[in-house]
Amino acid sequence: MSKTLITLILISLLGFISKYKIFREEDREIFSKFVYNFSLPALVFYSIYTNPPQISLYKVVIVEWIVSIITGILALLIGFGLNLNKKTIGSLFLVSVGGNVTFLGYPIMEKLYGNQGLTVAIIYDQLGMIIFIYTIGIILISLLSVQKVNLNFTIKKVLNNPPLWGLILGFILSPYKLPDFLIDSLSILGKATTPLMMFLLGLSFSKPQKNNKSTLGIISGITLKLLLFPFLALIFSRVLGITDVPYKVTVLESAMPSMLTALVLALQFDLDSAFASHVIIYSTLISLITLNLWIGVI
C-alpha cells in the first residue's frame, strides 16, 4: 500500500517541478479538460461495463450516502463558521466527502481481499460516491461557484457532466457485447486518468497562503476525510449489519485520502483549486499512516 501512495506522490512531484521549467500554471486547464471530458468518463464507463454491481450489497451504498451527507453538512458548517469564501467552502466540501477510492482504493482492496474486495470497492465507488458527487455534489458546488444561480444553470451543470454520462452509459450498455476494439480503447484511455490527474495535482500546487482561516480549513478537510468519515462508516456499517469483507472494504474505502477528482471539479467549476490541491496532497501523505491504523482497527 505504501508503494502505491509513494508512486502517486512522485508523479505529482513531477508536475510540480515541471511548472517551473516546461509548463505554465495556465496549462493546467488543458490537462483538466482532457481528464474531465475524456479519460475520466472512459474510466467510469469501463469500470461499470466490465464489473456490473451486484444489488445484494446495497447496504454498502447506503452507508456511503449517509456518511457523505453527514460529513458534507459538517464541512459546510465549518466552512461558514471559519468565514471562508464560497469557493473555498465548495472545495472543502469536495475534499471532505470525496475519497481516492478508485485510483488508490481499487488496487489496495484487490491486494488485501482479492476479487471480492475489488467488487465491493466498485459498488462503493460507482453506486455510492460517484453518484453522490455527480448529483448532490455538483448541484451544491454549482451554487457555491457563482454569485447568481438559477434552476436552468444548475440543471445544465449536472447534465453537462461527462463522467456522469459515462456512468449512465455503462449501466445501460453492460448487458450488451460491444466490440473488443472499443472496450480496449476505453480501457487504455481510462488508464491515463491516474497519472494525468496526479500530474495536474502537482502542476496546480502552490505555496500555501499565510492565512489562519485557510490553514484551519485545510486541517478541517484532512480531519473530516481521514478520521471522521471512516469512523462514521465503521459505526453505520455495524448498525446495518455489514460484516466480513464488505465491512472492511467499506471502512477502508472511506478512509482513503481526498479524491483527485476534487481538483478537476474545482478547476471546472471555478472553486478554490489551490485549497483543494493542498488538502489532496497533505491527506495523501498523512494517509500513509492513517490507512495502516484503520487496517489495524478493523
Side-chain angles (χ1 to χ4, degrees):
M1 179 170 61
S2 297
K3 291 182 179 179
T4 303
L5 287 170
I6 292 172
T7 299
L8 296 176
I9 292 169
L10 287 176
I11 297 175
S12 65
L13 182 61
L14 178 63
F16 177 72
I17 296 173
S18 298
K19 78 174 185 177
Y20 293 102
K21 294 292 184 180
I22 302 174
F23 297 102
R24 297 169 298 178
E25 187 172 353
E26 52 266 32
D27 291 334
R28 66 184 184 177
E29 185 67 18
I30 298 175
F31 289 94
S32 174
K33 287 183 177 179
F34 179 82
V35 171
Y36 188 72
N37 291 287
F38 296 104
S39 66
L40 183 56
L43 178 66
V44 172
F45 176 88
Y46 182 82
S47 298
I48 285 291
Y49 179 80
T50 57
N51 298 280
Q54 301 297 316
I55 299 178
S56 60
L57 293 176
Y58 67 93
K59 290 182 180 180
V60 172
V61 179
I62 294 176
V63 169
E64 201 287 330
W65 272 71
I66 292 175
V67 177
S68 290
I69 291 172
I70 294 175
T71 306
I73 292 174
L74 288 175
L76 294 175
L77 292 175
I78 291 173
F80 285 111
L82 292 175
N83 199 27
L84 301 175
N85 64 62
K86 287 186 177 181
K87 292 184 179 182
T88 303
I89 293 174
S91 292
L92 176 59
F93 172 84
L94 285 175
V95 297
S96 298
V97 302
N100 193 350
V101 300
T102 304
F103 313 124
L104 192 58
Y106 283 12
I108 291 177
M109 295 308 110
E110 184 176 26
K111 184 175 182 180
L112 291 176
Y113 307 114
N115 290 332
Q116 183 183 3
L118 179 59
T119 299
V120 178
I122 291 172
I123 293 173
Y124 177 100
D125 180 21
Q126 304 296 340
L127 287 181
M129 194 191 77
I130 283 182
I131 293 181
F132 180 85
I133 292 294
Y134 290 120
T135 52
I136 295 177
I138 290 294
I139 293 174
L140 179 62
I141 63 176
S142 295
L143 296 173
L144 293 171
S145 65
V146 294
Q147 293 182 350
K148 295 182 179 180
V149 178
N150 54 50
L151 182 60
N152 290 335
F153 174 85
T154 303
I155 294 175
K156 182 178 179 181
K157 283 292 187 181
V158 173
L159 295 179
N160 188 24
N161 180 26
L164 177 61
W165 286 109
L167 178 71
I168 294 172
L169 290 174
F171 275 119
I172 294 175
L173 298 177
S174 59
Y176 305 100
K177 172 66 175 177
L178 297 179
D180 290 339
F181 72 85
L182 178 59
I183 299 302
D184 291 342
S185 297
L186 291 171
S187 175
I188 294 173
L189 185 58
K191 288 177 181 178
T193 303
T194 299
L196 283 175
M197 292 185 77
M198 290 307 301
F199 190 85
L200 174 61
L201 177 60
L203 197 62
S204 301
F205 188 76
S206 60
K207 188 176 181 180
Q209 297 178 349
K210 294 182 179 180
N211 183 314
N212 290 333
K213 293 179 181 178
S214 179
T215 300
L216 287 174
I218 291 173
I219 294 173
S220 298
I222 295 171
T223 303
L224 288 172
K225 188 66 205 70
L226 297 182
L227 298 179
L228 181 64
F229 204 103
F231 175 74
L232 292 176
L234 184 151
I235 297 299
F236 283 105
S237 292
R238 290 180 175 177
V239 169
L240 292 179
I242 302 175
T243 58
D244 300 325
V245 171
Y247 163 72
K248 294 179 180 180
V249 172
T250 300
V251 175
L252 288 183
E253 283 285 70
S254 299
M256 291 295 155
S258 298
M259 64 178 182
L260 306 179
T261 314
L263 176 60
V264 177
L265 290 174
L267 291 169
Q268 290 292 323
F269 288 87
D270 192 29
L271 300 175
D272 191 341
S273 58
F275 177 91
S277 69
H278 284 104
V279 176
I280 293 169
I281 288 178
Y282 294 144
S283 67
T284 301
L285 290 171
I286 296 173
S287 70
L288 288 166
I289 299 173
T290 56
L291 279 172
N292 285 287
L293 291 177
W294 283 112
I295 289 177
V297 169
I298 61 175

